[in-house]
Amino acid sequence: MSKKALLLINPRSRQGKKQFKLAVDILHELDFELVVIPCNHPQEIPEIINQQADNVDLVIIGGGDGTLNLAVDSLVTHNLPLGILPMGTANDLARTLGIPLGIKEACQVIASGKVDDIDLGWVNGKYFFNVASLGLSVKITENLSYQAKRRWGTLAYLITAIKVIRNSIPFEVEIIIGDTSVSVKTIQVAVGNGCYYGGGMAVAKDAKINDQRLDLYSLELENWWQIFPLIWTLPQGGHDILPWVRTLQAYPSQSIIIKSPKPLTINTDGELTVTTPATFKVIPQALRVFISN
C-alpha cells in the first residue's frame, strides 16, 4: 500500500499538542509521505478529509474517540483506510482494536500495513464506532469539561458520573426490534457496536467490533442504591445479570428503533449528534482500519 497519508491531529485532545511533532518525526522515519493540514478545531476534520480525499491513500488521525467519530462519515464516503494514534482520554476504539497507546508503537502498527474491515453502528444517518446512547451518558458529556479530562484522564468520567447521577430522572422510551416492542422507564439506553466505551467499560462481555451485532442495554433503576452493583459489573460487561438492566441484541437484518415523547439527544462516541426518534443499524465490514498483528 502507498504511504501517502493525510495526518490530522486534534490539538484539543489530551495529548494532541504534546505528541504532534513526535508523531510527524516517527511517521517520516517510517517512510510515510505526509500531507499535514493545520487543524485549529476538531470540527474542521470532516471537511479537510473531503478536500484531500483524492490526494491521499489513507488517513491517520491523532485524538480520542470523539475525534475519530467526527471523521468516520467522511472516511466511509471516500473509502479511505484509517490509522489511529491514540491521543485522547479514553481511547476506547484503540483498546478494542489492540492498538498500543504509545505513539511510536501505534505508528508502527500503521506502517505494518495490516488492515481489517470493521463493523460500524449507524443511527439516523450518523456512523459510530463504539456506542450510541441517550440519558445519563449525554449528561456526562455535557458536564465533562476539557480541563477535567486533561487533569484526571479516564477518572474524569467516573467523577462526572457521580455528580450527575444524583440528579438523573428516569424517562420513558419505546424500544422496537422487529415485531417486538417494549416501553420502559430508564436513566440510560446504550446501543453498542464495539467492545468498549466510557474509558474501558464493556458494552457486553462477548461484544466484538466485527460480530455484525448491536448490543443494547437499558438501565431501569427504581432505587438509588442499584447504581452500586453497576460500578462492579459495567467494566466487565456483566450488567446483564442484574434484574434492573434490560439487554437486547440486533443483527444486520434488524433495526433498533427508539421513540420518546419528546426529542432526546443521542451521544455517539462522546459527541452529541442526533436525536430521537432514532433508528439504529449495524453496517458490517464498513471501514478498513490498521490493526495490530
Side-chain angles (χ1 to χ4, degrees), residues 183-234:
S183 295
V184 303
K185 267 195 164 183
T186 181
I187 65 166
Q188 167 147 307
V189 178
V191 178
N193 169 64
C195 300
Y196 301 109
Y197 71 104
M201 291 189 294
V203 176
K205 52 178 172 270
D206 61 342
K208 295 183 172 129
I209 203 162
N210 57 1
D211 59 9
Q212 300 188 16
R213 185 183 85 194
L214 293 178
D215 293 284
L216 177 148
Y217 73 75
S218 170
L219 303 182
E220 299 165 17
L221 284 63
E222 295 182 358
N223 299 289
W224 64 269
W225 57 263
Q226 291 174 317
I227 196 64
F228 291 108
L230 288 170
I231 295 172
W232 305 111
T233 56
L234 278 173

Side-chain angles (χ1 to χ4, degrees), residues 138-261:
V138 171
K139 291 184 179 180
I140 292 172
T141 298
E142 290 172 337
N143 287 272
L144 187 60
S145 70
Y146 171 69
Q147 292 78 11
K149 288 198 289 184
R150 287 187 66 87
R151 181 176 182 183
W152 299 107
T154 55
L155 268 179
Y157 291 91
L158 178 59
I159 293 168
T160 307
I162 291 171
K163 288 180 181 178
V164 303
I165 199 167
R166 291 176 298 179
N167 301 316
S168 291
I169 299 172
F171 55 91
E172 294 183 3
V173 295
E174 181 184 8
I175 303 170
I176 304 167
I177 301 179
D179 297 329
T180 302
S181 172
V182 59
S183 295
V184 303
K185 267 195 164 183
T186 181
I187 65 166
Q188 167 147 307
V189 178
V191 178
N193 169 64
C195 300
Y196 301 109
Y197 71 104
M201 291 189 294
V203 176
K205 52 178 172 270
D206 61 342
K208 295 183 172 129
I209 203 162
N210 57 1
D211 59 9
Q212 300 188 16
R213 185 183 85 194
L214 293 178
D215 293 284
L216 177 148
Y217 73 75
S218 170
L219 303 182
E220 299 165 17
L221 284 63
E222 295 182 358
N223 299 289
W224 64 269
W225 57 263
Q226 291 174 317
I227 196 64
F228 291 108
L230 288 170
I231 295 172
W232 305 111
T233 56
L234 278 173
Q236 291 79 36
H239 42 276
D240 59 330
I241 67 171
L242 300 173
W244 53 88
V245 179
R246 185 185 305 271
T247 59
L248 300 165
Q249 296 176 336
Y251 293 86
S253 61
Q254 302 170 306
S255 298
I256 297 174
I257 298 171
I258 296 181
K259 298 179 180 180
S260 55

Side-chain angles (χ1 to χ4, degrees), residues 92-110:
D92 286 308
L93 181 59
R95 191 191 308 265
T96 291
L97 298 172
I99 295 171
L101 299 184
I103 299 305
K104 181 178 180 180
E105 293 78 10
C107 288
Q108 289 170 338
V109 166
I110 303 169

